[in-house]
Amino acid sequence: MRTEQPAGPHVPGGPAATAVAHPNIALVKYWGKRDEELFLPRTDSLSMTLDIFPTTTRVRLAPAAEHDRVTLNGRPATGEAKRRVIAFLELVRERSGTAHRAVVDTENTVPTGAGLASSASGFAALAVAAAAAYGLEQDATALSRLARRGSGSASRSVFGAFALWHAGHSGGTAAQADLSSYAEPVHTAGLDPALVIAVLDAGPKAVSSREAMRRTLDTSPLYEPWARSSTDDLADMRAALRRGDLDAVGEVAERNALGMHATMLAARPAVRYLAPASLTVLDSVLQLRRDGIGAYATMDAGPNVKVLCRRTDAGRVAAAVRGAVPGGSVHIAGPGPGARLLARDGR
Ligand code: PMV
């Protein structure tokens, strides 16, 4: 792979495209890959795409450039973040048959790397923008598969509101396995949910989700039981969404997330993302339920806690969470839109 230079002022312009995508929060989690290269997960997962924290990405082909240039919030991207974007561009180039390097500018409004799924919105936006700039005509299912190759959870951010990511199968060739794993929208009846997001630590995580998943799969005696119970959780979740039963959705989401964290705690060495403040928020969620409010917690690869509730209860839930962790910031999200192209020129 070629190395890149820092972002500079002059690169003659080729076709360009700009896309926006939102993060998603899994209610039945993706935790563990069965194929690291193709980003094929062990289990199906299901998420809600948010209406806050969008990522906007512009991809412009630079026919005269020798290297890709990648910026994140106006600064040259470095390290692993840059490597992953360039690896993704290589895949798009291979598929489009266009060797041109690109200039990729990303504006992230979600704190990067804090377990708030910036990679989901990031790679969903990049997939849509890069496909358009390189002239790859893709429907939403194909875009979901493509986004998956940047970050598994990005496959779900291609769709708005609720999305189910199929683990797919690995029976035949690599190409067949790749085709079998994509997300699709899940329809819900009469649900008006909110996710109250407590950002307890916006710093980068100590262990990447990729490394934590690998370690969990390799060493945790609790992984297989969780993966098996996740199948039941998904069936229960789909039934609860069909009924529009917020409390059942929340109960399944909470048990699935706690189970996922249990698998990591039992890994060797243990991976522990939850901080004391996370447990304080979990206590406040229990207290809300004792007070008769339907509030249910879910946590990802970081200390932040997201609390699912009815939209009409979101203000009260947010106040309780704020009171529990005065140092944190609290955001209220509803179901948001899927990834979409904002602009396209030169093609
Ligand atoms: O796609 P990644 O590597 O960001 O995986 C994230 C996995 C979790 O956020 C912990 C769960 C999920 O399903 O999003």
Side-chain angles (χ1 to χ4, degrees):
M1 189 185 297
R2 301 185 193 195
T3 50
E4 335 56 53
Q5 296 163 338
H10 178 70
V11 179
T18 304
V20 63
H22 290 74
N24 69 76
I25 301 297
L27 303 177
V28 175
K29 302 293 185 190
Y30 149 53
W31 195 249
K33 295 179 182 66
R34 68 178 196 282
D35 183 320
E36 291 207 3
E37 183 150 345
L38 294 176
F39 288 80
L40 296 172
R42 279 289 310 273
T43 57
D44 296 342
S45 57
L46 191 151
S47 60
M48 184 176 112
T49 299
L50 308 184
D51 60 358
I52 61 173
F53 297 146
T55 297
T56 307
T57 297
R58 180 167 192 263
V59 175
R60 180 162 56 84
L61 269 54
E66 279 189 42
H67 308 285
D68 293 312
R69 290 181 180 180
V70 183
T71 70
L72 187 54
N73 293 340
R75 296 192 175 168
T78 56
E80 184 62 6
K82 184 168 78 174
R83 191 198 63 74
R84 288 177 67 180
V85 169
I86 292 172
F88 190 82
L89 292 173
E90 291 293 351
L91 178 68
V92 174
R93 282 193 276 265
E94 194 184 296
R95 293 193 176 175
S96 66
T98 308
H100 295 324
R101 305 294 116 176
V103 178
V104 178
D105 297 311
T106 292
E107 296 295 329
N108 239 342
T109 57
V110 57
T112 301
L116 273 178
S118 61
S119 64
S121 52
F123 280 101
L126 179 61
V128 173
Y134 278 91
L136 271 183
E137 294 306 328
Q138 309 256 290
D139 63 13
T141 305
L143 284 170
S144 171
R145 284 191 201 101
L146 181 62
R148 191 196 81 225
R149 300 288 295 273
S151 174
S153 53
S155 64
R156 300 183 308 235
S157 274
V158 169
F159 296 100
F162 294 89
L164 165 64
W165 173 21
H166 297 282
H169 55 74
S170 287
T173 63
Q176 286 168 331
D178 178 55
L179 279 175
S180 70
S181 184
Y182 54 86
E184 66 183 8
V186 172
H187 299 289
T188 60
L191 210 61
D192 194 12
L195 270 173
V196 174
I197 300 177
V199 179
L200 304 173
D201 176 1
K205 51 191 149 191
V207 186
S208 70
S209 54
R210 173 183 295 222
E211 162 59 23
M213 284 182 198
R214 188 183 293 152
R215 196 187 301 170
T216 305
L217 252 76
D218 289 349
T219 68
S220 174
L222 300 191
Y223 183 75
E224 291 302 333
W226 175 79
R228 276 197 299 279
S229 68
S230 214
T231 308
D232 298 332
D233 288 347
L234 184 75
D236 291 349
M237 178 63 74
R238 296 188 75 172
L241 287 172
R242 267 196 302 273
R243 296 196 305 275
D245 182 342
L246 188 279
D247 294 291
V249 168
E251 275 166 24
V252 176
E254 191 172 290
R255 79 185 184 213
N256 185 268
L258 289 170
M260 177 185 77
H261 283 273
T263 69
M264 299 181 221
L265 289 170
R268 293 157 197 185
V271 179
R272 182 175 60 84
Y273 287 119
L274 303 183
S278 318
L279 301 185
T280 305
V281 176
L282 292 183
D283 277 346
S284 70
V285 167
L286 279 180
Q287 187 57 47
L288 281 163
R289 290 214 288 269
R290 274 186 224 114
D291 295 344
I293 308 273
Y296 304 89
T298 183
M299 296 78 59
D300 294 284
N304 306 313
V305 180
K306 299 94 183 182
V307 185
L308 182 77
C309 62
R310 290 175 180 79
R311 196 186 286 260
T312 46
D313 289 334
R316 182 152 172 206
V317 170
V321 171
R322 263 190 210 106
V325 280
S329 66
V330 177
H331 309 263
I332 299 176
R340 68 183 190 284
L341 205 55
L342 294 178
R344 183 178 205 169
D345 52 79
R347 210 171 250 288

